[in-house]
């Protein structure tokens, strides 16, 4: 395939744990952005099917054509699912990468299943690859994939993007086999992170543990090869989200919320139920605000949506019970016959309706204890009316805080400080709200999801041209 009679365009191959049809709005902005680039090159998206294979049966490949994009998925054996996905990815890497060593299960031997599935992914993917393909691997489930592909003789350019945080070197070093894991990360040509802080943690690690030598311009000599690394904060498709905000489902939600809460100031929180999101801390801060500022009683209502997430894991069951107890306590102590301070929902709300809820809210509470980026913060901003926008209260421990400096940044561990910030957000004058929102929206538009995609692939192209000078994917 050629563009304008020029050199052939390399095909993009995306690899991630789960695969989405990029033509469907419900898939989200990431799938849409990747789908755009995949479509331009007639690309391939490879990952887990979400299905478990029958015992003793070789995992099957499933192929589905989504326009010009080929979706290829593979089943997992139940044993591999338990070890790779539940055990190592979410029982070791997720808690450690979110700074929660106390919740990591280091002793179960899950690492062998993690290796086994990455090897199986490489074996299944390798025959589908072309010599000039460009491979982009996503997230913590697949850190060793490049090393496994290299061992099968793959010489293609391979980039990796980590969607969750990367902790400091000492926390990383607590993982048994951390040296093997991070050596695998160094098998990529480009490694991308959500924030400068995460990037710095990585470079400090490879210097201290692997004796990496800086080669300038984000390049490192490590394990006898050149590695590129950098921060590429992911964005949203601002135009697409704006269109969803104006669509009938979102408009209906907005009008209904405005009617039902016409005498209240609405606050909103939308999160997966996860210990990294700081939901109990948020509820304590909201309770502290009601206690310290009596004028907010009867006038402020928090709608908290906590989508179900991994409820078979004990840590999630505990946080669910704690959150339900806190919500019940706040409503019992402060509620009136015609007003409940907290409206708590433990279920998923359709993406098409959320923008209407965001636009109807005066304040968004995005207060994770640790987060790679947090796109809810950006979606809330994109859904606002620029003439009468709401206020974003954002944890300084979310990756988004590096970019969204005009938000009210808080320490979620500081209950009183967060309560004061929420009160400030509720009282903020319209002129200040407009100024903050205009600056934040400018950042969102400048660094949207298409900028993220282009920036990463352009940097990977630089790595390609430096070492091989071969034709590259054109966006």
């Amino acid at each position: 395939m050629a563009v304008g009679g020029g050199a052939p365009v390399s095909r993009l191959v995306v690899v991630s744990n789960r695969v989405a049809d990029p033509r469907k709005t419900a898939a989200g902005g990431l799938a849409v952005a990747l789908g755009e680039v995949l479509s331009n090159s007639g690309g391939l998206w490879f990952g887990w099917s979400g299905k478990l294979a029958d015992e003793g049966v070789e995992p099957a490949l499933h192929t589905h054509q989504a326009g010009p994009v080929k979706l290829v998925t593979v089943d997992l054996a139940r044993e591999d699912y338990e070890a790779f996905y539940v055990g190592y990815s979410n029982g070791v890497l997720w808690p450690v990468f979110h700074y929660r060593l106390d919740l990591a299960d280091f002793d179960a031997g899950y690492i062998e299943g993690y290796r086994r599935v990455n090897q199986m992914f490489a074996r299944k993917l390798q025959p589908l690859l072309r010599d000039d393909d460009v491979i982009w691997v996503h997230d913590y489930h697949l850190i060793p994939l490049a090393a496994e592909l290299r061992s099968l003789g793959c010489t293609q350019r391979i980039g990796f993007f980590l969607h969750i945080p990367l902790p400091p070197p000492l926390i990383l070093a607590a993982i048994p086999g951390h040296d093997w894991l991070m050596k695998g990360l160094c098998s990529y040509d480009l490694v991308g992170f959500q924030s400068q802080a995460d990037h710095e943690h990585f470079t400090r690690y490879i210097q201290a543990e692997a004796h990496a030598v800086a080669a300038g311009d984000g390049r490192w000599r490590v394990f006898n090869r050149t590695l590129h690394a950098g921060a590429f904060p992911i964005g949203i498709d601002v135009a697409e989200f704006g269109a969803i905000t104006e669509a009938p489902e979102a408009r209906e939600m907005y009008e209904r919320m405005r009617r039902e809460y016409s005498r209240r100031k609405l606050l909103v929180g939308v999160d997966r139920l996860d210990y990294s999101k700081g939901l109990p801390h948020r509820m304590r801060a909201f309770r502290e605000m009601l206690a310290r500022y009596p004028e907010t009683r009867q006038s402020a209502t928090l709608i908290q949506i906590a989508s179900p997430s991994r409820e078979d894991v004990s840590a999630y069951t505990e946080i669910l019970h704690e959150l339900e107890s806190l919500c019940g306590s706040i409503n019992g102590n402060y509620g009136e016959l015609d007003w409940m301070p907290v409206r708590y929902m433990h279920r998923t709300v359709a993406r098409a309706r959320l923008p209407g809820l965001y636009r109807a809210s005066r304040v968004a509470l995005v207060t994770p204890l640790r987060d790679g980026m947090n796109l809810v913060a950006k979606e809330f901003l994109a859904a606002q009316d620029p003439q009468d926008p709401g206020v974003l209260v954002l944890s300084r421990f979310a990756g988004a805080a590096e970019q969204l400096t005009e938000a009210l940044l808080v320490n979620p561990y500081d209950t009183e400080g967060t309560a004061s910030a929420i009160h400030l957000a509720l009282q903020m004058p319209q002129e200040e709200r407009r100024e903050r929102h205009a600056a934040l929206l400018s950042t969102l538009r400048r660094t949207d999801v298409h900028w993220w995609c282009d920036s990463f692939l352009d940097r990977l192209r630089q790595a390609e041209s430096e070492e091989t000078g071969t034709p590259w994917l054109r966006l």
Side-chain angles (χ1 to χ4, degrees):
M1 179 172 55
V3 176
V9 177
S10 296
R11 183 179 66 162
L12 178 65
V13 176
V14 171
V15 190
S16 57
N17 181 55
R18 297 302 296 269
V19 172
D21 188 333
R23 299 170 302 177
K24 297 179 179 178
T25 303
L30 172 61
V32 171
L34 290 175
E36 193 173 296
V37 187
L38 284 162
S39 296
N40 290 346
S41 67
L44 172 72
W45 194 343
F46 183 93
W48 176 39
S49 65
K51 301 174 182 177
L52 301 182
D54 293 334
E55 190 172 349
V57 176
E58 175 70 14
L61 281 181
H62 311 277
T63 302
H64 172 67
Q65 199 69 35
V69 182
K70 182 180 289 187
L71 307 178
V72 181
T73 58
V74 63
D75 299 339
L76 287 182
R78 179 168 294 279
E79 176 187 11
D80 287 343
Y81 167 79
E82 295 292 343
F84 156 77
Y85 183 75
V86 179
Y88 198 76
S89 295
N90 292 317
V92 176
L93 297 183
W94 180 271
V96 173
F97 281 30
H98 286 88
Y99 298 53
R100 291 299 303 270
L101 289 171
D102 57 312
L103 296 177
D105 184 1
F106 292 128
D107 300 325
Y110 295 133
I111 193 169
E112 289 307 318
Y114 183 73
R115 288 178 174 178
R116 192 165 58 241
V117 170
N118 274 273
Q119 288 167 352
M120 185 268 285
F121 264 44
R123 285 198 315 274
K124 298 289 186 181
L125 177 61
Q126 191 264 342
L128 307 176
L129 296 176
R130 303 170 185 168
D131 290 344
D132 65 341
D133 278 344
V134 178
I135 305 167
W136 190 0
V137 180
H138 289 264
D139 229 359
Y140 59 105
H141 313 85
L142 302 173
I143 289 172
L145 186 61
E148 299 298 344
L149 287 169
R150 302 290 188 213
S151 73
L152 296 176
C154 294
T155 58
Q156 293 91 342
R157 289 291 103 176
I158 312 179
F160 178 87
F161 187 78
L162 184 67
H163 290 262
I164 66 173
L166 189 79
L170 278 177
I171 295 180
L172 269 177
I175 302 175
H178 66 91
D179 48 348
W180 166 80
L181 188 72
M182 298 303 285
K183 186 175 182 181
L185 198 53
C186 292
S187 296
Y188 291 91
D189 298 292
L190 170 62
V191 179
F193 302 94
Q194 294 277 27
S195 68
Q196 289 293 346
D198 296 336
H199 176 221
E200 289 168 11
H201 292 160
F202 174 70
T203 58
R204 280 168 47 205
Y205 177 95
I206 60 173
Q207 286 176 284
E209 301 285 342
H211 310 295
V213 177
D217 297 326
R219 298 173 302 159
W220 297 86
R221 289 297 300 175
V222 59
F223 299 117
N224 297 316
R225 63 190 312 276
T226 299
L227 167 72
H228 293 240
F232 302 87
I234 194 169
I236 64 169
D237 189 326
V238 179
E240 182 231 14
F241 203 78
I244 297 173
T245 303
E246 297 300 332
E249 281 190 78
R251 293 296 304 177
E252 189 276 333
M253 171 66 84
Y254 170 76
E255 297 295 345
R256 186 151 60 98
M257 291 296 101
R258 295 289 284 183
R259 285 194 307 270
E260 294 186 10
Y261 295 94
S262 58
R263 297 185 297 118
R264 319 284 186 211
K265 290 179 180 177
L266 204 56
L267 302 94
V268 65
V270 178
D271 308 82
R272 283 188 310 103
L273 185 67
D274 188 279
Y275 48 77
S276 67
K277 301 301 183 183
L279 296 177
H281 300 71
R282 182 182 304 169
M283 289 302 161
R284 294 188 194 101
F286 184 67
R287 180 177 62 188
E288 179 69 16
M289 186 201 70
L290 294 175
R292 290 178 59 185
Y293 304 100
E295 71 274 14
T296 61
R297 301 173 203 168
Q298 292 269 14
S299 71
T301 298
L302 168 60
I303 294 180
Q304 176 61 58
I305 298 167
S307 305
S309 170
R310 306 183 197 131
E311 294 185 322
D312 54 340
V313 179
S314 61
Y316 294 88
T317 304
E318 291 168 11
I319 200 168
L320 173 63
H321 292 161
E322 184 180 9
L323 186 58
E324 289 175 344
S325 175
L326 280 166
C327 292
S329 173
I330 293 169
N331 285 337
N333 291 331
Y334 291 100
E336 301 287 349
L337 290 174
D338 62 345
W339 171 68
M340 284 292 112
V342 180
R343 303 294 297 272
Y344 167 67
M345 296 169 56
H346 179 47
R347 62 176 181 271
T348 302
V349 173
R351 184 171 184 262
R353 300 175 66 199
L354 282 174
L357 176 59
Y358 293 150
R359 179 167 281 206
S361 301
R362 174 59 63 87
V363 178
L365 302 182
V366 182
T367 54
L369 305 180
R370 194 71 213 173
D371 222 338
M373 176 53 61
N374 197 296
L375 295 181
V376 168
K378 296 186 174 184
E379 290 181 346
F380 171 79
L381 294 169
Q384 296 307 297
D385 174 0
Q387 299 307 310
D388 188 25
V391 180
L392 175 62
V393 176
L394 178 63
S395 167
R396 60 180 297 180
F397 304 124
E402 280 191 359
Q403 294 178 289
L404 306 181
T405 54
E406 292 83 9
L408 294 183
L409 300 181
V410 298
N411 169 10
Y413 294 98
D414 179 358
T415 302
E416 292 187 1
T418 304
S420 295
I422 297 171
H423 182 250
L424 178 63
L426 287 168
Q427 306 302 318
M428 188 176 291
Q430 187 181 66
E431 183 178 355
E432 183 179 352
R433 286 188 280 120
R434 282 179 178 173
E435 289 175 359
R436 287 177 181 267
H437 180 261
L440 290 163
L441 190 60
S442 174
T443 298
L444 254 61
R445 287 178 169 147
R446 188 175 64 254
T447 57
D448 69 0
V449 72
H450 303 290
W451 168 89
W452 167 78
C453 201
D454 292 351
S455 297
F456 187 93
L457 291 172
D458 283 349
R459 181 71 175 276
L460 194 49
R461 177 175 58 191
Q462 292 172 19
E464 169 91 2
S465 61
E466 283 176 14
E467 299 198 13
T468 67
T470 56
W472 189 252
L473 173 72
R474 293 178 179 174
L475 304 182

